Structure formats: structure tokens, C-alpha cells
Amino acid sequence: MSMIGHTKNRKRMRAGSINRREVLGAAALLAAGAGFANADQEEPDEPHGCITDVGGIRVGHFTDERRPTGCTVVLFDHGAVAGVDVRGSAPGTRETDLLQPINTVQEVNALVLSGGSAFGLETANGVMRWLEEHGQGYRVGPIVVPIVPAAILFDLQIGDPKIRPDARAGFAACEAATNSVVPEGSVGAGAGATVGKLFGLRSAMKSGLGTASIAIGDTGLLVGAIVAVNSVGDVRSYRTGRILAGARAANGQGFLDSMAQIRTGALLGRQERPRSGANTTIGIVATNAALTKTECTKVAQMAHDGYARTINPVHTPADGDTIFAAATGSVRSKADVTTIGAVAAEAMARAVNRAVITATGIQGYPAYRDLGK
């Protein structure tokens, strides 16, 4: 758009003659003028690591390509101390109360991320069965009770909503779990994930699941993250702040920029609002440091900064944003919680970006790698 056209639009706005649709249209044209970022230039495929780098951790996915949807399980070979922090207003979780520092159980055996909305919480039953068969869990006399907290995201709007992850999916994810490089993109809990839904699904884009890890100097300490990104907001580069995936302009040539629209008042009086609970970003950070439940809870809180650096808006009434933090304790030297939490936020930011960069588009939902084609 030329500066002359820009000036004319501003004059109409001052005169009060522009309506909400025109505001959105003008903003869309401005966003389109810059076009989409070149994928290769914006986010090079550099080494990023994955959560299994922490050690003592295996990750497995179950992906149902019929819809698509799926689940992801993180297994701890020797258990892990864990905490959780829920920031969104529409969460779907299981066994989060036992992670509170004042409660008795000190370790978890696995953590589950799943699609399928609340139905997807059933995947944890399958994980429990697998763990029980392998003798892992909280011992009460001769009885073993696996401890498996879980969180879900809403992906039922894509395909047949009757197809959703169940206990068999959770069991299959355990069977597939390895300590090698973690597959990313449209797999597991990220198979049906989408982003940029503030103005409806027609402008949304495909997202997925990402992972990253960071070594802390030569201390031997590592922090890893894994996340399924299904936000109502746009996803931005943690390096540059540029939108990587989000609400698209009606002409398909650029981004609406959800926060720019919010600042114009575009949501006020709008009949179609983001549906509560129809979004949610769910993730896990893990470290080989030795931490208490209280310290893990603090790390989970700090890791939400990784969401805030990359997702905008985030933690909305329409999201159920949740992060688990786990510590395997394989490195016994005293760990500084501030350091672990700050690095966890950085690892999470990288993992969020990986989730959209590696996603594969489906009909009606293009992905980052489709931009500019």
C-alpha cells in the first residue's frame, strides 16, 4: 500500500466514517503489504536439541491420521519430581492436584499431552496400564499405582470429532517411546493443533508439536522442553518477534496481526468470539537437576515466559495453557532454581517456534512451510 492510501485511510478513521469491517480490511492490507516471511531466511534449520537430551526420558507418539489427532507420552525411567502451572482459563487436566507441594506423592512416572479435548484424558489410562505391566508406579504395599498427570488440547473441529485419542492410543504411545530424537510437527498431541483463531477458523493456520533443549555451560545440567501449540493467538519468532504462523488476511497475502487488531478495538462488539476451551497450548519442561516439588512448581511458572515470548495473545479466557515441570535428579549437584527456570523459558520458546516451523498443512489450514509458495 502506498503512503497516499495509508493517509487516506487514517483520515477516514479520524472522521469516524470507517466501520469495524473496514478497520479489519485496512489492517489486513497493511499486513499483506509486507507479505509472508521467507521460511528459510526467517528460521534456519539449526541444531535445537530435544527433551530426551536430558537423559532418563523416553518420548512416544500416537498419531491418528484419519482426523488427524493424537497423543504424546513422556516416560521417566526412574520417576521424576514434578510440578505444574496452569495459566489459561479453560484447562483440561488430570492429577494436577497431587503435584501441589503440600501433597504426599513426590514423583510421577509419566506425563501425557493429548488432543481430543476432555475425551483425550482417557489416554492416561492406557499409559497407566502400560506402566503397571512394567511394574512402575507408587507402591502401596504389594500394589503399584502409576502416577500419570495429563493435559489436553481441543482439536475436535478438524474432521470427525468422534475420532479421538483413547486408552489404546496412550498404550501405543508408550510402546513407541524411545530416548532418541523426538519426531516433531503434525504428530502426537500436535497432530490436530492449529493457531491464529482469534478471528475464526477460516483465518487459522496449522501448528504441531515441537521440542528443544539447552545445556547450561559445562555444568552437566540440561533443560529440555516439548510442547503442542494450539493457541488462539499468533506465534512469533522468539528471535525477531516476526509472526511465523497466525491469523491470515482475507486475501491470503499476509497476516492480520491479532494484537494489532485488538488495539484497534476490533474485538469489541464482535458477535463471533474465540470459543472458550477450543484452544490451549500444553507443554513439559524437564531437567536433570535435583529439584523439590516446590522448585519444580516455580520452574513451571517461569517456563510460561516462553509462551509469552512467542504467542500473542496468550493465557486468554479461550485457552487452557498448562506447563508441567519435571526433574530427574541425575545430576546431584545443587541447582539454582532461577537458572533452571530462566533456561526452561528459553527452551520452551524455541520449542514453540519448532512446533509451527515443522508442522504440515492440511486442507483449509496452511502451515508455515506453505507460506510464500
Side-chain angles (χ1 to χ4, degrees):
M1 175 180 283
S2 70
M3 288 303 295
I4 294 175
H6 190 189
T7 302
K8 289 180 178 178
N9 278 336
R10 286 194 298 177
K11 287 180 178 179
R12 285 201 301 269
M13 292 175 69
R14 290 195 192 100
S17 61
I18 190 167
N19 60 26
R20 180 183 60 83
R21 181 172 297 177
E22 289 172 323
V23 170
L24 288 171
L29 286 172
L30 286 170
F36 291 120
N38 180 277
D40 292 333
Q41 291 180 1
E42 177 63 24
E43 295 294 327
D45 188 15
E46 63 180 20
H48 56 88
C50 57
I51 194 170
T52 51
D53 294 338
V54 169
I57 292 175
R58 286 174 289 153
V59 174
H61 300 308
F62 171 82
T63 304
D64 192 331
E65 310 237 351
R66 293 175 297 169
R67 200 161 66 73
T69 188
C71 65
T72 297
V73 61
V74 175
L75 299 173
F76 300 99
D77 293 340
H78 306 290
V81 178
V84 67
D85 190 61
V86 180
R87 295 286 177 93
S89 297
T93 58
R94 160 182 168 143
E95 297 275 45
T96 51
D97 281 352
L98 66 79
L99 298 179
Q100 297 305 313
I102 63 172
N103 292 336
T104 302
V105 174
Q106 294 299 305
E107 292 188 343
V108 302
N109 303 105
L111 295 167
V112 180
L113 307 176
S114 182
S117 188
F119 298 106
L121 292 174
E122 186 185 341
T123 56
N125 293 340
V127 177
M128 286 188 70
R129 181 164 66 86
W130 189 91
L131 288 165
E132 182 184 26
E133 290 181 6
H134 289 77
Q136 298 180 46
Y138 182 75
R139 296 194 174 274
V140 184
I143 302 168
V144 174
V145 182
I147 305 300
V148 185
I152 53 85
L153 58 79
F154 185 98
D155 59 6
L156 300 179
Q157 79 279 11
I158 297 178
D160 183 357
K162 295 294 185 181
I163 299 173
R164 53 233 185 187
D166 55 14
R168 290 173 297 178
F171 191 94
C174 291
E175 291 281 274
T178 72
N179 59 4
S180 60
V181 175
V182 178
E184 298 175 283
S186 299
V187 296
T194 53
V195 297
K197 292 166 280 189
L198 195 65
F199 299 98
L201 296 176
R202 285 177 296 182
S203 62
M205 288 182 64
K206 189 70 183 69
S207 182
L209 177 140
T211 185
S213 67
I214 299 174
I216 302 175
D218 58 359
T219 64
L221 294 171
L222 289 99
V223 181
I226 190 168
V227 62
V229 181
N230 190 53
S231 58
V232 69
D234 302 333
V235 175
R236 293 177 175 269
S237 169
Y238 79 93
R239 295 183 185 88
T240 67
R242 185 165 186 154
I243 298 174
L244 302 178
R248 293 168 292 135
N251 62 8
Q253 298 301 308
F255 294 112
L256 283 171
D257 189 336
S258 295
M259 274 308 303
Q261 299 294 333
I262 289 172
R263 288 194 296 270
T264 70
L267 287 183
L268 302 178
R270 180 182 171 87
Q271 291 185 351
E272 183 185 1
R273 293 292 184 94
R275 288 179 293 177
S276 178
N279 305 286
T280 298
T281 297
I282 48 178
I284 300 165
V285 292
T287 179
N288 56 2
L291 301 177
T292 66
K293 286 175 70 175
T294 299
E295 290 170 332
C296 282
T297 300
K298 188 61 187 179
V299 169
Q301 290 177 350
M302 293 178 70
H304 272 280
D305 289 352
Y307 285 3
R309 292 170 192 167
T310 52
I311 302 171
N312 204 2
V314 71
H315 303 141
T316 74
D319 291 291
D321 301 328
T322 300
I323 295 179
F324 296 103
T328 65
S330 61
V331 176
R332 303 304 301 179
S333 58
K334 178 63 177 176
D336 175 67
V337 177
T338 298
T339 297
I340 299 297
V343 174
E346 182 74 5
M348 182 58 75
R350 297 183 185 187
V352 170
N353 280 183
R354 295 289 306 171
V356 297
I357 291 168
T358 59
T360 301
I362 58 176
Q363 184 174 3
Y365 299 91
Y368 171 82
R369 61 178 63 181
D370 300 319
L371 302 183
K373 290 184 178 180

